[in-house]
Amino acid sequence: MQFLEVLTIDPADPVSFTFFTGYMAMFAASVFFFMERSRVADEWKLSLLVSGLITGIAAVHYYYMRDFYQATGTNPIALRYIDWTLTVPLMCVEFYLITKKAGGTSGLLWRLIAASVAMLLLGYIGEAFYADQTQSWVWGALSGLAYFYIVWLVWKGEVATLAANAGGKVQAAVKALGWFVLVGWAIYPIGYIAGTAGGLFGVPVFEGLQMDLVYNIGDAINKIGFGLVIYALAQKD
Ligand SMILES: *C/C=C(C)/C=C/C=C(C)/C=C/C1=C(C)CCCC1(C)C
């Protein structure tokens, strides 16, 4: 019975622990962002709503991923990528909302969304169909190109230019969120390398290590941390 599986959590399994804490933390963060939304300046309300949606969508997926992992002991690849294809584009929406005041266009929003979906689709193919083959690095590398395009947009491209023109709070916000994309998002390729046979250009480095541990840590930092940075900036107003 599924219910009993959940009760028998292995004390020596850090992956199980992070699925349970991840679920609770995402849930609590959503309550926080939704409640605090009413206490920030109007121009930040939509950003806080999106932050709450990101952690809320993740909380629901963690609820299911946690049980999937408990019941099967395997990586919930499909659930993981469904979660990401909803939440990562929403993080792109956050960049758009912040730069909109400085002239950010919907064209920019769509380019960010398209790049993030390409990044995730290529990673999904690698994980779902090539995880046990050395060619998995090809999909990881292609996915990485889309990732670098997003990093470039945020640090040197249109997002950065708009932020520099706006200066002040907008520039500070974009810079802070840019660090998440550059450093926080870089955690994920580590999980990919850890979990696929050819993750690191065909070299099986961390064979046996659970990639979900890396992904769960990455999600907590990137989803909750990202929202908290926006909250902190909204508080300054
Ligand atoms: C809340 C979830 C987030 C912020 C997920 C982000 C995921 C990535 C940045 C994934 C990137 C990948 C690569 C750059 C190469 C290998 C395959 C991926 C999909 C793990």
Side-chain angles (χ1 to χ4, degrees):
M1 219 170 28
Q2 202 110 330
F3 190 57
L4 288 175
E5 297 275 0
V6 177
L7 290 176
T8 53
I9 172 172
D10 178 1
D13 183 356
V15 182
S16 273
F17 272 88
T18 53
F19 270 123
F20 275 78
T21 33
Y23 167 53
M24 235 22 256
M26 295 291 179
F27 175 77
S30 308
V31 173
F32 178 80
F33 293 136
F34 288 140
M35 299 300 262
E36 287 298 299
R37 189 182 160 272
S38 60
R39 302 206 310 132
V40 300
D42 278 351
E43 52 168 323
W44 288 100
K45 283 192 167 40
L46 193 52
S47 301
L48 250 78
L49 175 67
V50 175
S51 296
L53 290 177
I54 291 170
T55 50
I57 291 169
V60 176
H61 283 85
Y62 267 76
Y63 175 83
Y64 288 109
M65 287 198 287
R66 192 193 66 171
D67 284 0
F68 181 100
Y69 179 79
Q70 286 302 113
T72 67
T74 62
N75 302 326
I77 300 173
L79 282 165
R80 175 78 72 187
Y81 275 86
I82 294 168
D83 173 336
W84 287 354
T85 22
L86 295 168
T87 53
V88 178
L90 281 174
M91 296 173 101
C92 297
V93 170
E94 299 272 33
F95 277 107
Y96 166 70
L97 288 176
I98 288 168
T99 53
K100 200 173 141 196
K101 297 148 200 159
T105 61
S106 58
L108 171 64
L109 172 63
W110 286 113
R111 243 169 302 138
L112 283 166
I113 290 179
S116 63
V117 171
M119 172 182 85
L120 297 172
L121 191 64
L122 292 160
Y124 178 72
I125 295 172
E127 265 185 53
F129 308 112
Y130 293 87
D132 55 353
Q133 295 169 40
T134 46
Q135 303 96 290
S136 66
W137 73 267
V138 178
W139 298 99
L142 289 173
S143 167
L145 289 178
Y147 167 61
F148 287 129
Y149 175 63
I150 299 172
V151 170
W152 179 82
L153 273 179
V154 171
W155 280 92
K156 296 276 171 219
E158 207 174 323
V159 176
T161 314
L162 287 167
N165 290 343
K169 282 178 303 193
V170 172
Q171 193 172 18
V174 167
K175 188 142 204 186
L177 297 181
W179 280 110
F180 278 94
V181 174
L182 183 66
V183 181
W185 290 20
I187 294 170
Y188 297 97
I190 299 173
Y192 187 89
I193 289 167
T196 65
L200 190 73
F201 305 107
V203 189
V205 224
F206 301 110
E207 220 176 3
L209 189 116
Q210 283 285 353
M211 72 205 301
D212 278 296
L213 182 61
V214 181
Y215 287 165
N216 290 352
I217 292 168
D219 277 357
I221 293 172
N222 288 298
K223 292 184 167 66
I224 301 173
F226 201 86
L228 284 175
V229 165
I230 291 171
Y231 173 71
L233 289 156
Q235 281 297 89
K236 281 193 193 146
D237 272 4

